[in-house]
Amino acid sequence: MYRIRFKSVRFGLISFFVLLFQSTLAYSFSLGTIKPDFVLLLVIFFALYKGQKQGMFYGMVVGIFVDALSGGVVGINSFGLGCVGLLCGLLKERVYINHFLTKFLVGLAACLVYSIVYYVLGEQFFRLPGFFANIDIVIGTMVYTSFCNIFFVDVLDRFVIDRSTSLL
Amino acid sequence: MFGQKKPLLFIPLIILLFAILLISPQKTVHLKSGLLLLLRTPLSLIYRLQISTINVKKIFTFYSEYSTMQKKIKELSFQANQVTELELETQRLRKILELKENTPNKFIVSRVIGKEPNNWLNSLIIDKGSLQGISINQPVMNFSGLIGKIIEVNPKSAKVLLISDVNSRAVVLVQSTRDEGMLEGIGKGLCRLKYLTVDSEVKLGDVVVSAGLGGVYPKGLVVGKIESIKIERGGIYKSCIVKPLSTLSGLEEVLCIESDLNQSDLD
């Protein structure tokens, strides 16, 4: 039987580096104007392992940092990522995350939720490129981010999750 | 027991040796060739083994030399990359210097340290802030042309809203026809020039410059070139897609135009 231990300190450090990576080197992964959202992938991963409450809290905290780096209003990314954390947390123990199709579909759904929340809130405070006029960016980001999720989960799993055998 | 029999064994052997020596060399040829034939295979085997050992030794030597060479190649290619990078940086800085010398504006040169984390907005974070004289609404350009304005200032950093962001607005002129219009960002690194009159004679490739109106951008800063032209619905206005001259996605150094001169230009 496996006993799963989540290495929080390591995850915290990884979160910090991913945040910096998202606003610097992530551009080198961009296809045209689309780059994957690695911060969103962090929130999905955390929420799937820790559940809705902690997922939402983590999403909101990370979102504040994203807001600080972004040119938008503070709180929008925080709220959006909080929603993603909450919804992905609801899927904890309901989905088998290690299957590549699940990883892709969860990434797709999370990205869609995040985009909708970001658009609905963002439109209240500043101008955004029209959702349907820029549907290519929306879909492109969703697909690219979800595709990255397939590999990202494995990498994080290796560094953050400790599966030791237990006598219980 | 064997020690006692040894002298007895030696005597016939010595006799045999003398007998062989007494035989003429012509007659021992067959014996020699027979012995040689017998020894040829093990000899060649041992020789080959020796050669192989030497070759294996050589292979190891070559491998270690190869590893050393590979390391050296990596070091040299790293150095070459650094030299290329420095060369490019020097070119960019030289262009900035030329721009500084050729224009009346005073600039604060700063490096880009971060970019917008999401795909919807277009902004940059630069390494200079209020302590270095950066203030809100300061125009930002690079040696190719205008790129945006400061929207947020911290003591040691600032945020730049790029002209391709949908929240960006600027009054501009078409350089050749002097037609005025409103330039707004549409994302994807492009801008739209709106409210040009239908009889405006703008052409593809015309350069767009800032008009100096609106209180932010000084007059005459190059913004971009017209990529496409269309007449808006209703037939009252023309609108054009403008591609900024600066590659907004690959910016490394930017120039913030100092406020006092900016203000005097505007006056």
Side-chain angles (χ1 to χ4, degrees):
Chain A
M1 191 177 173
Y2 280 115
R3 193 169 63 90
I4 294 172
R5 200 163 65 87
F6 195 90
K7 294 177 179 172
S8 306
V9 178
R10 267 194 201 182
F11 189 73
L13 282 172
I14 290 172
S15 306
F16 178 71
F17 284 112
V18 168
L19 265 170
L20 296 181
F21 183 83
Q22 185 63 37
S23 62
T24 50
L25 297 169
Y27 274 81
S28 47
F29 286 87
S30 59
L31 299 172
T33 52
I34 298 161
K35 63 177 186 302
D37 195 337
F38 292 105
V39 179
L40 181 76
L41 299 183
L42 275 180
V43 176
I44 297 170
F45 180 84
F46 187 85
L48 283 172
Y49 273 96
K50 289 284 187 179
Q52 47 182 322
K53 278 184 192 168
Q54 291 187 58
M56 189 180 78
F57 181 73
Y58 175 76
M60 288 176 84
V61 172
V62 169
I64 289 280
F65 283 98
V66 177
D67 281 323
L69 293 167
S70 166
V73 176
V74 174
I76 292 179
N77 283 298
S78 176
F79 190 81
L81 289 172
C83 288
V84 170
L86 176 75
L87 294 173
C88 287
L90 286 171
L91 294 175
K92 189 195 173 191
E93 291 166 3
R94 286 189 177 84
V95 293
Y96 178 61
I97 191 62
N98 286 334
H99 194 276
F100 81 94
L101 199 65
T102 326
K103 289 178 206 168
F104 185 79
L105 291 175
V106 168
L108 214 61
C111 213
L112 182 68
V113 168
Y114 179 53
S115 305
I116 291 170
V117 172
Y118 190 88
Y119 255 89
V120 170
L121 276 179
E123 279 290 330
Q124 313 308 315
F125 299 101
F126 49 86
R127 278 171 61 100
L128 280 167
F131 191 85
F132 293 105
N134 281 277
I135 199 76
D136 52 338
I137 293 185
V138 177
I139 292 172
T141 309
M142 278 168 61
V143 173
Y144 195 11
T145 305
S146 314
F147 182 72
C148 288
N149 196 31
I150 297 171
F151 308 101
F152 197 71
V153 169
D154 284 341
V155 174
L156 277 181
D157 199 278
R158 195 164 294 173
F159 282 106
V160 177
I161 305 295
D162 181 22
R163 287 189 177 83
S164 52
T165 45
S166 165
L167 291 170
L168 294 169
Chain B
M1 197 171 74
F2 290 104
Q4 286 172 347
K5 278 187 179 177
K6 262 182 186 172
L8 289 173
L9 268 172
F10 274 114
I11 293 163
L13 267 173
I14 291 163
I15 295 166
L16 188 71
L17 266 173
F18 271 109
I20 291 167
L21 285 172
L22 288 171
I23 301 167
S24 67
Q26 286 87 357
K27 286 181 181 173
T28 55
V29 168
H30 293 293
L31 181 73
K32 274 172 80 179
S33 63
L35 282 173
L36 203 63
L37 197 71
L38 196 74
L39 293 172
R40 191 182 160 273
T41 318
L43 259 178
S44 67
L45 275 174
I46 290 166
Y47 182 72
R48 276 184 199 169
L49 197 70
Q50 192 188 356
I51 297 290
S52 309
T53 319
I54 292 165
N55 284 342
V56 168
K57 269 186 186 173
K58 273 185 185 171
I59 287 168
F60 277 108
T61 320
F62 285 145
Y63 183 74
S64 66
E65 274 177 17
Y66 172 76
S67 313
T68 322
M69 288 301 200
Q70 284 279 75
K71 275 181 192 169
K72 272 188 183 169
I73 288 169
K74 275 180 189 168
E75 277 175 21
L76 286 172
S77 59
F78 177 72
Q79 281 177 3
N81 278 340
Q82 275 191 319
V83 169
T84 318
E85 196 62 31
L86 283 172
E87 212 169 89
L88 290 170
E89 195 178 358
T90 315
Q91 279 175 15
R92 287 198 307 271
L93 294 175
R94 196 171 286 153
K95 280 181 184 172
I96 289 170
L97 206 66
E98 276 172 20
L99 191 75
K100 268 187 152 183
E101 283 167 0
N102 297 335
T103 53
N105 296 325
K106 275 191 179 173
F107 301 110
I108 300 167
V109 182
S110 45
R111 276 180 196 277
V112 176
I113 54 167
K115 287 172 185 175
E116 181 64 40
N118 63 44
N119 288 322
W120 320 119
L121 302 174
N122 291 291
S123 67
L124 299 173
I125 305 170
I126 55 170
D127 69 344
K128 298 274 165 65
S130 55
L131 291 177
Q132 286 84 21
I134 304 281
S135 57
I136 284 191
N137 279 339
Q138 235 176 323
V140 182
M141 61 184 291
N142 76 347
F143 47 80
S144 305
L146 188 70
I147 59 165
K149 65 174 182 180
I150 302 286
I151 52 161
E152 201 179 301
V153 185
N154 302 306
K156 286 181 178 177
S157 68
K159 254 176 221 165
V160 180
L161 183 76
L162 299 179
I163 48 168
S164 60
D165 189 285
V166 285
N167 297 287
S168 169
R169 300 275 186 289
V171 185
V172 292
L173 289 170
V174 179
Q175 203 173 38
S176 56
T177 61
R178 311 310 288 174
D179 290 321
E180 253 176 38
M182 172 74 80
L183 188 84
E184 64 173 28
I186 54 169
K188 300 175 187 176
L190 297 171
C191 308
R192 181 178 288 123
L193 175 55
K194 290 163 75 175
Y195 310 128
L196 288 175
T197 50
V198 180
D199 53 349
S200 164
E201 290 171 355
V202 286
K203 302 183 295 295
L204 292 180
D206 275 355
V207 175
V208 175
V209 295
S210 57
L213 304 170
V216 178
Y217 302 110
K219 193 173 181 178
L221 293 179
V222 179
V223 179
K225 278 185 178 175
I226 292 176
E227 274 212 333
S228 69
I229 305 164
K230 75 166 187 177
I231 296 170
E232 286 292 321
R233 218 178 287 170
I236 307 168
Y237 297 113
K238 268 183 183 173
S239 80
C240 313
I241 297 293
V242 177
K243 189 173 169 49
L245 283 186
S246 319
T247 321
L248 299 176
S249 59
L251 293 167
E252 288 176 66
E253 289 97 14
V254 294
L255 304 160
C256 306
I257 301 173
E258 273 189 23
S259 303
D260 51 341
L261 268 167
N262 172 28
Q263 204 52 50
S264 67
D265 272 6
L266 291 170
D267 295 340

